[in-house]
C-alpha cells in the first residue's frame, strides 16, 4: 500500500514593510515570505508590483480597492480579494465594519494589502513569529485566509445576543427604538451576506487555482475545504439570523396591534358606560319636572333621581364588564 507523500516544510519570513533588499534576497534563495501592508500609498503598491512582477490589473485593483470577493489568476500569480469582519465597540457609529483584504499569491510569496490596521493578521504574524515548527507554504496561505474568514464568528455571536435582546425588548413594550433596531439589524445582515456569499462561491468553484499555483509547495487540499465549510456555516447562520429579525418585525407589528386593540377596548368600555348616562340625562331633561312633582319633592329628587340613577347605571355597567372579563388587558 503506497504511503502518502511527506512534506518537509519551512519557516516563513514575515515582513510588515517593503524592504527591497530582503525581498530580493528571499526570492533569490527561494524562501517563502509574507508581506503584510496596512494603508500603502499608490506609489508603494506600484513599486511592489514592479518588484514582484505582479500583473498591472492586480496592481490597479489594490490601488483602487472597492472590489467584491474574487479570485483572479495572472500566470504564476493570483489575486484573492476577501472581506474580513471587524469587531466593534458598542459606542461605534458604524458597528461591525468590513475590512477589504487583497491577497497576492505566488509560489514565492503572499502579500496582504488592507486599508486599516487589521488585528487578526497582526496577531497571526506574532503567532508565526513565536512558532518554531516549520510548515508548508500551502499551510501558511491557508492560515492567513482562515483567520480572515473566521473573523466573522465573533460578529455572529454578538448578533445572536443583539437579536435575543431585541426580542425581549419588543415583548416588554414595542416602541420606535425597537423598530429602528430591527431595521438596523436587517441592513447589517444584508451587508454581511453580500460580503460572505461571494467568498463562498469563490471557494466552491475556484479554490483549486490556489492549490495548483506554480511553485507553491504542495500539501493537503483539506485545508481549503475547511475554509469552505466555515463559509457555508457563516452563510447558514446569517440566513437564520435574517429569519429571526424578520420574525422580530412580525412580533413588533403584533405587539403594536395588541396595544391598539387594548386601547380600542378601553375606549369602547368608556363609551358604553356613558351611553346610559346620555339616555338618563336626556330623559330627565324632558321629564324631570313631572318626577319632582309626583315622585319626590325637594333636593332628594335631584340627588336620587338625577345623580343617583346615573351613578347606579355606571356602576352596573362596570360590574357587568368586569364580570365578563372585558376590563382585563388580555380579556
Amino acid at each position: 500500500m503506497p504511503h502518502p507523500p511527506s512534506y518537509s516544510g519551512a519557516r516563513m519570513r514575515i515582513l510588515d514593510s517593503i524592504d527591497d533588499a530582503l525581498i530580493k534576497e528571499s526570492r533569490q534563495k527561494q524562501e517563502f515570505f509574507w508581506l503584510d501592508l496596512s494603508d500603502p500609498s499608490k506609489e508603494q503598491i506600484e513599486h511592489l508590483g514592479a518588484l514582484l512582477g505582479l500583473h498591472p490589473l492586480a496592481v490597479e485593483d489594490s490601488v483602487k480597492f472597492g472590489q467584491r470577493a474574487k479570485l483572479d489568476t495572472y500566470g504564476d500569480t493570483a489575486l484573492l480579494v476577501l472581506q474580513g469582519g471587524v469587531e466593534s465597540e458598542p459606542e461605534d457609529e458604524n458597528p461591525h465594519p468590513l475590512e477589504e483584504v487583497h491577497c497576492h499569491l505566488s509560489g514565492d510569496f503572499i502579500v496582504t494589502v488592507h486599508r486599516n490596521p487589521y488585528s487578526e493578521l497582526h496577531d497571526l504574524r506574532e503567532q508565526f513569529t513565536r512558532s518554531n515548527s516549520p510548515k508548508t507554504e500551502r499551510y501558511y496561505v491557508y492560515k492567513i485566509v482562515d483567520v480572515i474568514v473566521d473573523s466573522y464568528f465573533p460578529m455572529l455571536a454578538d448578533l445572536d445576543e443583539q437579536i435575543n435582546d431585541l426580542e425581549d425588548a419588543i415583548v416588554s413594550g414595542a416602541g420606535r427604538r425597537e423598530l429602528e433596531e430591527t431595521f438596523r439589524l436587517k441592513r447589517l445582515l444584508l451587508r454581511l451576506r453580500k460580503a460572505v456569499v461571494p467568498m463562498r462561491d469563490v471557494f466552491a468553484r475556484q479554490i483549486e487555482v490556489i492549490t495548483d499555483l506554480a511553485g507553491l509547495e504542495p500539501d493537503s487540499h483539506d485545508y481549503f475545504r475547511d475554509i469552505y465549510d466555515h463559509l457555508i456555516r457563516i452563510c447558514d447562520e446569517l440566513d437564520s439570523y435574517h429569519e429571526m429579525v424578520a420574525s422580530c418585525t412580525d412580533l413588533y407589528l403584533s405587539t403594536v396591534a395588541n396595544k391598539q386593540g387594548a386601547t380600542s377596548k378601553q375606549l369602547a368600555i368608556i363609551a358604553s358606560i356613558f351611553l346610559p348616562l346620555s339616555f338618563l340625562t336626556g330623559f330627565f331633561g324632558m321629564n324631570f319636572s313631572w318626577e319632582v312633582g309626583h315622585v319626590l319633592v325637594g333636593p332628594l329628587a335631584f340627588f336620587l333621581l338625577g345623580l343617583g340613577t346615573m351613578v347606579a347605571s355606571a356602576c352596573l355597567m362596570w360590574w357587568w364588564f368586569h364580570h365578563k372579563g372585558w376590563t382585563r388587558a388580555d380579556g
Side-chain angles (χ1 to χ4, degrees), residues 13-37 44-45 47-54 106 108-112:
R13 176 173 288 180
I14 301 175
L15 306 174
D16 59 3
S17 62
I18 302 175
D19 190 321
D20 293 18
L22 287 177
I23 291 176
K24 290 179 180 179
E25 178 186 351
S26 297
R27 301 202 69 185
Q28 289 174 356
K29 295 181 179 180
Q30 296 185 340
E31 293 179 350
F32 192 76
F33 66 91
W34 172 23
L35 173 59
D36 185 37
L37 294 178
Q44 287 177 313
I45 295 179
H47 172 68
L48 180 65
L51 185 64
L52 299 178
L54 301 178
S106 169
D108 297 329
F109 58 82
I110 175 171
V111 177
T112 52

Side-chain angles (χ1 to χ4, degrees), residues 111-125:
V111 177
T112 52
V113 183
H114 41 92
R115 292 290 191 187
N116 303 298
Y118 198 43
S119 60
E120 280 74 8
L121 293 180
H122 178 270
D123 296 341
L124 184 62
R125 292 205 316 262

Side-chain angles (χ1 to χ4, degrees), residues 12 45 53 61 65 84 103 120 131-132 135 162 176 204 230 238 257 272-273 297 308 310:
M12 178 178 61
I45 295 179
D61 287 344
F65 271 70
C103 303
E120 280 74 8
S131 176
N132 295 322
K135 301 292 184 180
Q162 291 184 39
R176 184 178 181 83
H230 288 186
L238 287 175
S272 300
I273 291 176
V297 180
M310 290 191 290

Side-chain angles (χ1 to χ4, degrees), residues 163 235-245:
I163 294 174
C235 288
D236 290 343
E237 291 196 26
L238 287 175
D239 290 340
S240 64
Y241 289 157
H242 186 272
E243 294 177 0
M244 291 173 64
V245 173

Side-chain angles (χ1 to χ4, degrees), residues 4 35 89-90 93 114 118-119 139 152 178 184 200 202 226 233 239 246 255 261 264 266 285 294-295 324:
L35 173 59
E89 299 297 331
E93 295 182 359
H114 41 92
Y118 198 43
S119 60
Y139 173 83
Y152 285 90
E178 286 72 27
R184 184 190 71 82
R200 181 198 62 188
V202 166
D226 178 69
R233 176 183 167 190
D239 290 340
T255 303
S264 300
Q266 293 170 357
H294 296 79
V295 181
K324 289 291 185 180

Side-chain angles (χ1 to χ4, degrees), residues 30-268:
Q30 296 185 340
E31 293 179 350
F32 192 76
F33 66 91
W34 172 23
L35 173 59
D36 185 37
L37 294 178
S38 177
D39 195 24
S41 63
K42 176 182 177 182
E43 292 74 17
Q44 287 177 313
I45 295 179
E46 291 176 346
H47 172 68
L48 180 65
L51 185 64
L52 299 178
L54 301 178
H55 195 277
L57 292 178
V59 174
E60 181 182 356
D61 287 344
S62 293
V63 169
K64 294 182 178 180
F65 271 70
Q67 307 292 319
R68 74 192 303 269
K70 63 178 183 177
L71 177 60
D72 293 335
T73 55
Y74 306 100
D76 294 339
T77 63
L79 171 62
L80 176 62
V81 178
L82 301 173
Q83 296 282 348
V86 179
E87 290 191 73
S88 58
E89 299 297 331
E91 62 272 8
D92 290 348
E93 295 182 359
N94 182 26
H96 301 305
L98 299 175
E99 185 65 35
E100 184 176 335
V101 182
H102 290 202
C103 303
H104 296 273
L105 307 173
S106 169
D108 297 329
F109 58 82
I110 175 171
V111 177
T112 52
V113 183
H114 41 92
R115 292 290 191 187
N116 303 298
Y118 198 43
S119 60
E120 280 74 8
L121 293 180
H122 178 270
D123 296 341
L124 184 62
R125 292 205 316 262
E126 293 184 347
Q127 178 182 338
F128 282 156
T129 303
R130 294 192 302 265
S131 176
N132 295 322
S133 175
K135 301 292 184 180
T136 61
E137 296 165 354
R138 190 178 290 174
Y139 173 83
Y140 289 126
V141 175
Y142 149 76
K143 197 62 181 177
I144 292 171
V145 176
D146 182 61
V147 297
I148 297 174
V149 171
D150 287 354
S151 62
Y152 285 90
F153 287 111
M155 298 170 59
L156 293 176
D158 185 46
L159 282 172
D160 182 67
E161 183 177 349
Q162 291 184 39
I163 294 174
N164 290 333
D165 292 342
L166 176 61
E167 290 176 341
D168 294 339
I170 292 176
V171 172
S172 298
R176 184 178 181 83
R177 180 179 176 276
E178 286 72 27
L179 183 61
E180 293 176 351
E181 180 69 9
T182 301
F183 286 120
R184 184 190 71 82
L185 288 174
K186 277 188 175 182
R187 291 191 296 267
L188 176 58
L189 289 170
L190 180 61
R191 183 156 57 94
L192 294 178
R193 199 175 190 281
K194 285 183 177 180
V196 174
V197 170
M199 291 194 295
R200 181 198 62 188
D201 295 340
V202 166
F203 279 83
R205 298 193 300 263
Q206 297 178 277
I207 197 57
E208 296 298 328
V209 173
I210 296 180
T211 60
D212 296 334
L213 279 176
L216 194 65
E217 184 182 355
D219 201 344
S220 173
H221 286 60
D222 294 338
Y223 288 142
F224 297 99
R225 282 197 293 266
D226 178 69
I227 294 177
Y228 177 60
D229 291 340
H230 288 186
L231 288 169
I232 292 178
R233 176 183 167 190
I234 293 171
C235 288
D236 290 343
E237 291 196 26
L238 287 175
D239 290 340
S240 64
Y241 289 157
H242 186 272
E243 294 177 0
M244 291 173 64
V245 173
S247 66
C248 285
T249 305
D250 297 337
L251 179 62
Y252 173 85
L253 295 176
S254 176
T255 303
V256 171
N258 289 338
K259 284 185 175 181
Q260 292 176 344
T263 301
S264 300
K265 183 178 66 175
Q266 293 170 357
L267 294 176

Side-chain angles (χ1 to χ4, degrees), residues 274-288 306 309-310:
F274 274 91
L275 182 63
L277 301 185
S278 301
F279 168 76
L280 291 174
T281 54
F283 177 81
F284 282 130
M286 293 182 296
N287 305 290
F288 193 72
T309 54
M310 290 191 290

